Amino acid sequence: MHPVTAQLQLCRIIASGMFWWTYNSNAIEGNTLTLRETELVVNRGLTIGGKTLREHFEALNHAEAIARSSSSTRKRSPDTQVIP
C-alpha cells in the first residue's frame, strides 16, 4: 500500500473513532443527537432541528477536547514523562 494512502486511511479511522467517542460520551449524559447528527454538527457546523443548543455545544466541545488532547499528545517528545 502506498504510504499516502495508508496515512489517509488512518486519518479516516481516527476521525470515525472520534465521532463514535463523542456520540457515545454525550449519549451517556442524555444527549439525543444521533451518530449522523453528531457528525453533521461537528464536521459541517450544521444545527439540527428539534435539538437544543446545549446538545450541539456538548458535541462541539467534546470533539474539540479530543482534538486538543490528541494534538498535545503528539507534541510530546518520546522521552517526556507524564506524572499523575
Side-chain angles (χ1 to χ4, degrees):
M1 181 177 292
H2 193 274
V4 174
T5 304
Q7 181 82 12
L8 183 59
Q9 286 180 337
L10 179 60
C11 288
R12 287 180 181 157
I13 291 168
I14 291 169
S16 174
M18 187 274 298
F19 292 121
W20 272 102
W21 188 4
T22 296
Y23 164 74
N24 285 306
S25 178
N26 289 338
I28 289 169
E29 298 295 327
N31 191 308
T32 62
L33 290 172
T34 65
L35 179 62
R36 177 69 176 143
E37 290 169 342
T38 299
E39 189 272 332
L40 291 171
V41 168
V42 173
N43 202 31
R44 298 190 186 185
L46 299 178
T47 54
I48 309 299
K51 306 297 180 174
T52 66
L53 284 177
R54 177 190 58 83
E55 292 177 303
H56 287 82
F57 284 120
E58 284 176 351
L60 291 168
N61 291 340
H62 189 273
E64 177 68 19
I66 294 170
R68 286 179 184 240
S69 65
S70 67
S71 75
S72 69
T73 301
R74 279 182 259 143
K75 289 178 184 175
R76 289 186 190 151
S77 63
D79 58 352
T80 301
Q81 181 179 5
V82 177
I83 300 173

